[in-house]
Amino acid sequence: MKIIIAAGTGFLGNNLEQYFINKNHKVKILTRNPKSENEIFWDAKTLGNWKTELENADVLINLAGKSVDCRYNEQNKKEIYNSRIYSTKVLQLAIDECQNPPKTWLNASSATIYTHSETHLNTEKNGIIGDDFSMNICKSWEKKFFKTKNQDIRKVAMRTSIVLGKNGGAFPKFKQISKLGLGGKQGRGNQMMSWIHIDDFCEAVNFIIENENIKGAVNITSPKPLSNEKMMKQLREKIKIPFGIPSPVWLLEIAAIFIKTEAELMLKSRNVYPEILIENGFKFRYPLFDNVLEQLT
């Protein structure tokens, strides 16, 4: 297959690129800073020569979007919103000009579209979508993505949870703070942590591509979320750190200011279940957090 990954130079994009190359697919990356022959310049908001790469492509995967790991001031909020909406919009414009557009378009979204929930397990069918900055970003993002109906193009919004791997994402940070003795529960510790191993993420993307009946919004997360307190405890035990100082909410709020992030990223309960993947027969290599620890530590 010919696969185009827009904004494919980050943690997820790098792993997807290598995954598909290992399967002997041809991969092209759209990026602001091309550094190799398979990387093409795009600015994620205006049409350019890059649009010709979509011609006769089999799959388009869009991962564009400013990281939410920042302070939610007005400037950053604007950039978080625009980076998602503009990139999705311009890819649609490029596709509309194609004679032979990609047959499948996977667009990034987030499991944070669901409201804070410690008991309700959010599936694609019964998930409760709330109303705050993060959830509204996701809602606007998916609305823009699904607004245009292309008869021969299958669209999937990937509601991805925290992705764990050795070479990026959240796991190295979790491990580092635990080694420093700061790996106790965050806040009350009751918030549910939905996560997925990077290998399962790549396998899930490939599974969606190969299963033409899958479309619409899809939860890409492990089937076994666990509480923040349990997650940190299991990690400490695995790396043989006997204690972890807990971080109360007030301390997280102060720390977030100094490290230029938002405490919400650790305190929101993301309790998400991949019903569509499971119903279609997807098998997780790492269904339990214990499985992840065995492989990543």
Side-chain angles (χ1 to χ4, degrees):
M1 291 188 297
K2 180 183 178 184
I3 299 172
I4 310 298
I5 305 178
T9 58
F11 171 53
L12 299 185
N14 286 336
N15 280 275
L16 279 175
E17 179 185 16
Q18 194 56 55
Y19 174 86
F20 286 121
I21 287 173
N22 290 344
K23 286 183 169 290
N24 297 316
H25 298 311
K26 181 180 180 182
V27 181
K28 293 283 187 177
I29 306 294
L30 304 183
T31 174
R32 286 190 176 89
N33 299 295
K35 295 177 181 177
S36 64
E37 61 181 18
N38 72 321
E39 296 182 352
I40 298 96
F41 173 79
W42 84 318
D43 64 2
K45 57 185 177 182
T46 53
L47 286 172
N49 294 334
W50 58 266
K51 69 181 183 180
T52 60
E53 294 294 335
L54 300 187
E55 201 70 57
N56 296 306
D58 295 284
V59 179
L60 168 62
I61 302 171
N62 177 29
L63 302 175
K66 174 181 170 61
S67 172
V68 295
D69 187 8
C70 61
R71 294 297 291 172
Y72 290 170
N73 57 42
E74 290 308 309
Q75 179 64 29
N76 283 338
K77 282 183 176 181
K78 184 177 179 181
E79 289 180 10
I80 288 169
Y81 177 86
N82 288 345
S83 62
R84 285 157 174 75
I85 301 301
Y86 290 175
S87 61
T88 303
K89 179 180 178 181
V90 78
L91 286 170
Q92 183 67 64
L93 291 174
I95 279 175
D96 290 341
E97 293 187 9
C98 285
Q99 295 296 314
N100 296 291
K103 303 173 187 67
T104 302
W105 179 1
L106 281 65
N107 213 59
S109 184
S110 173
T112 200
I113 194 170
Y114 301 111
T115 192
H116 178 101
S117 174
E118 296 175 8
T119 56
H120 178 76
L121 194 59
N122 291 289
T123 70
E124 296 88 349
K125 293 176 185 175
N126 73 1
I128 301 170
I129 296 175
D131 181 20
D132 67 7
F133 170 70
S134 298
M135 287 180 273
N136 289 338
I137 287 288
C138 293
K139 287 189 285 186
S140 298
W141 199 3
E142 291 188 7
K143 182 179 179 181
K144 174 61 70 175
F145 177 50
F146 288 119
K147 181 178 179 181
T148 302
K149 309 292 184 185
N150 298 94
Q151 185 175 355
D152 298 322
I153 300 174
R154 178 169 57 101
K155 290 184 174 183
V156 176
M158 302 184 292
R159 292 178 177 173
T160 307
S161 62
I162 298 169
V163 183
L164 304 176
K166 282 184 179 178
N167 60 345
F171 189 78
K173 297 175 184 177
F174 288 152
K175 189 174 176 182
Q176 183 180 24
I177 64 171
S178 295
K179 285 185 174 180
L180 293 172
L182 302 173
K185 65 182 181 180
Q186 279 94 29
R188 292 186 300 125
N190 294 340
Q191 67 270 33
M192 299 301 289
M193 308 288 286
S194 284
W195 55 271
I196 187 169
H197 189 287
I198 183 63
D199 291 352
D200 278 333
F201 171 80
C202 293
E203 289 283 358
V205 170
N206 185 63
F207 184 83
I208 290 168
I209 291 168
E210 292 181 346
N211 285 265
E212 296 181 0
N213 62 310
I214 298 178
K215 58 185 177 181
V218 177
N219 294 339
I220 301 185
T221 182
S222 88
K224 297 289 185 180
L226 74 169
S227 72
N228 171 267
E229 185 172 14
K230 287 181 179 178
M231 174 181 273
M232 300 310 294
K233 182 174 184 289
Q234 288 182 25
L235 174 56
R236 293 196 310 272
E237 289 175 350
K238 183 62 180 178
I239 61 176
K240 295 180 170 56
I241 300 296
F243 66 92
I245 300 172
S247 302
V249 172
W250 64 267
L251 183 59
L252 286 174
E253 296 284 3
I254 294 172
I257 295 171
F258 285 99
I259 62 176
K260 297 181 180 180
T261 189
E262 288 288 337
E264 173 199 315
L265 299 178
M266 284 306 298
L267 295 174
K268 180 173 179 179
S269 186
R270 296 169 178 83
N271 199 10
V272 184
Y273 182 79
E275 187 171 61
I276 288 177
L277 287 177
I278 297 291
E279 285 181 347
N280 282 275
F282 182 73
K283 303 296 183 185
F284 286 85
R285 197 184 309 179
Y286 305 97
L288 303 174
F289 188 61
D290 277 342
N291 304 141
V292 172
L293 293 175
E294 287 295 327
Q295 201 270 332
L296 293 184
T297 55

